[in-house]
Amino acid sequence: MVKTIVGVDGMMCGMCESHVNEAVRNAFPIEKVSSSHGKKQTEIISEESLDHEKLKAAVEKTGYQVTSVTEEPYKKKGFSLFGR
């Protein structure tokens, strides 16, 4: 699993976040996507690394500017009642 963090400039509200999320969902087979206009970023969880140029093109097609793309390994957090 890979966590991709995309810096996105131009999002102003929840509807902007929805536009970016939908663009990412339509461009890639992903597990999860979440955008924050306050943090100016979108986090994407996917099985494999995403094509950064295709990702940038998909987001910018919606009218927002990609400022950065970074990746890091992602581990699913297990559920525990005991906090272990």
Side-chain angles (χ1 to χ4, degrees), residues 7 20 25 31 38-39 45 50 56 58-59 63 74-76:
V20 172
R25 282 189 199 100
E31 297 290 318
K39 292 182 181 178
I45 308 299
L50 304 178
K56 183 177 178 182
V59 172
Y74 177 79
K75 285 188 176 182
K76 286 187 178 181

Side-chain angles (χ1 to χ4, degrees), residues 23-30 44 49-52 54-56 58:
V24 172
R25 282 189 199 100
N26 289 335
F28 297 98
I30 58 168
I44 305 161
S49 182
L50 304 178
D51 179 332
H52 292 196
K54 184 178 175 184
L55 178 58
K56 183 177 178 182

Side-chain angles (χ1 to χ4, degrees), residues 53-64:
E53 289 304 314
K54 184 178 175 184
L55 178 58
K56 183 177 178 182
V59 172
E60 290 188 346
K61 189 175 180 181
T62 62
Y64 306 102

Side-chain angles (χ1 to χ4, degrees), residues 2-63:
V2 178
K3 179 179 181 180
T4 305
I5 302 164
V6 184
V8 182
D9 199 20
M11 292 188 293
M12 300 295 205
C13 63
M15 200 59 165
C16 297
E17 296 168 356
S18 295
H19 289 143
V20 172
N21 292 347
E22 192 64 28
V24 172
R25 282 189 199 100
N26 289 335
F28 297 98
I30 58 168
E31 297 290 318
K32 182 179 177 185
V33 60
S34 176
S35 294
S36 169
H37 68 277
K39 292 182 181 178
K40 295 186 178 185
Q41 71 179 27
T42 298
E43 291 186 1
I44 305 161
I45 308 299
S46 57
E47 288 290 331
E48 298 187 13
S49 182
L50 304 178
D51 179 332
H52 292 196
E53 289 304 314
K54 184 178 175 184
L55 178 58
K56 183 177 178 182
V59 172
E60 290 188 346
K61 189 175 180 181
T62 62

